[in-house]
Amino acid sequence: WTWMQGKDSVKVPPVYGIQNVPSPLNTPGSRMSSPHWKDSDGNFWLFGGYFGLPGGFYNDLWRFDPQSLQWAWVSGPNVANSPGYCAECLCQPSVDNLPESRTLGSHWKGICDFFYFYSGSFCSDLWCYNRNNNEWTFTKGSLFPYNQGFHGTMGVPGTANQPRSLGGSCSWTDLSGNFWVFGGLDSIGFVSDYNLNELWRYTPDTLCPPEQSFSTLSITPNASICPGDSIMITASGGESYLWSPATNISDPTIPNPMVYPDSSTAYTVTIFVNNCHTTLYVYISVNTDSSFAIFPQDTLICSGDSITLHTYGGDSVQWMPAYNLSNPYIHNPSAFPDTSTTYTVSLSNPCFSKTYNLHIEVIQDSAKRLLNHDTVICAGQPVILHALGGVQYDWNNGQNGALINVSPSVQTIFIVTISDVYGCEKTDSVLLHVYPLPVLQISASEPTICLGSSIQLTALGAISYQWFPFEGLSDSTGNSVTASPTHSNIYTLIGTDLNSCTDSTAINIEVVDCQITIPNVFTPNGDGINDYFQVNYNGNSAYHIRVFNRWGIIMFENDDVKKPWNGEQQGTEASAGTYYYVIWIGNKEMKGTVTLLR
């Protein structure tokens, strides 16, 4: 870096001097985000910008000479925050016109050193400045602030289209003289959250402002030639011409020279009219076959997949065979062959022709499949699913491997993705219809029986039955059987329904020794004879007794058969009379009465 001019401090105020008179004392002062450009004479121009408090926004115009390192105040007020001036002025150039004070605008340089800028701050207006006569022209947009713009249809020009008020955008000019602007800050919000990513293109109107001197300019369209050939390129509408580059050209100063480039070349012509000039471009391409290429090389794809074929170079393209190609006459068709195929492509331009072959190997996946077919099972029935033809198997239930065990309780579709060594995938599926299991029930005439007795067992919920164990049963397959167990036992029932689905249930039958002696009278008078109500039972089943009076009050209760009732309730003698008892032995219940005498 080299410090060339200006003070090494901040908040430097502007020094205007005399308008249009350069001076080493003049300076625009400290400011930022000013629209700016360089003219064809090498001078640097600056318009407006922002200084900060107590300054503000400017709309003054400055010119800097890099040779003398001096600024000159060209036009505009020498105070900040001027409203500008433009009355009935659309497309009307005037030295009295003046854009409003602003900053952050997009800017471009047009032909004949016309300077354009759009928006900035809260504005949405497009202005043009002609340095040759110091005239400003309002060319398009709105003079009112906070404009939301109009997008129109993407890719379609329209006279009503207009970007919104924006600032800080990227802007540039293309080789055709169009203006471009991208992104920036939506001045409606004016905060960092309102940054944009819109891209706009503007084609200048040569009649607004009037550019009659350049309205008739033209140049030869872009063209192509063969190596060693020549071609005439022509420009018109000017007073004099200067072509560049000056090599391989018959005369760079005439409007229609012959050129014979060794390689593709972009020729520029500077056209001079009325002490003003502009530049046009023409591109002459030299055809070669060095740019011919094909991509990819021989390759493989999975069955059912497609691949995009690419060629480069050539004005004419033809692929063969055309079968299963999206378009056999374009550089990058999509191919979706169902079998391995060798494609041939012919590339040509007016000077060369070349042919390439490309083999596409199609990996067939016919071997990748499930051995299982859709079937019907009973709920919870285990099934082995078997897939083959790959090196990796991924099932939709999260399992992996060629063989998996499943036992669904409801109807389920199992899907497997089978991958081979090439990474080609195929999916297959099997549907398991699931029948519900029979709902079995067993009822017994009594849950507890005395040793030597029988009970009736009845089954419901199936069409065929199997009882276990067999001993002590009248029938091992009936729905109603007689059981005569010799000891407590659990009987298991297996039932099968119409769908051949089976389930099981069980019932516990308790067998008790009912050899029990219960007295019907006792005399608790202390004479040592029949003084207690004593139950005689020698079995192993659980024992429990309760004795009640005629009003249902419990007089005696015990779990120990060896502890009889002494005819008292909590130490008080019970009255003579009849009492009621309930005795449980296991699940067997016995009821009766006993008489107490005194």
Side-chain angles (χ1 to χ4, degrees), residues 121-148:
S121 298
F122 309 104
C123 307
S124 56
D125 47 357
L126 178 67
W127 286 83
C128 175
Y129 176 72
N130 184 350
R131 66 155 184 155
N132 299 306
N133 52 23
N134 196 30
E135 291 181 337
W136 286 99
T137 306
F138 168 50
T139 64
K140 195 171 181 62
S142 172
L143 294 175
F144 296 97
Y146 307 111
N147 194 297
Q148 292 285 5

Side-chain angles (χ1 to χ4, degrees), residues 441-447 455-458 467-468 489-493 505-510:
Q441 299 178 14
I442 303 176
S443 61
S445 56
E446 292 185 61
I455 60 170
Q456 197 71 20
L457 301 178
T458 303
W467 297 87
F468 298 96
N489 205 351
I490 296 176
Y491 287 99
T492 299
L493 174 68
T505 187
I507 189 171
N508 181 33
I509 302 300
E510 186 172 4

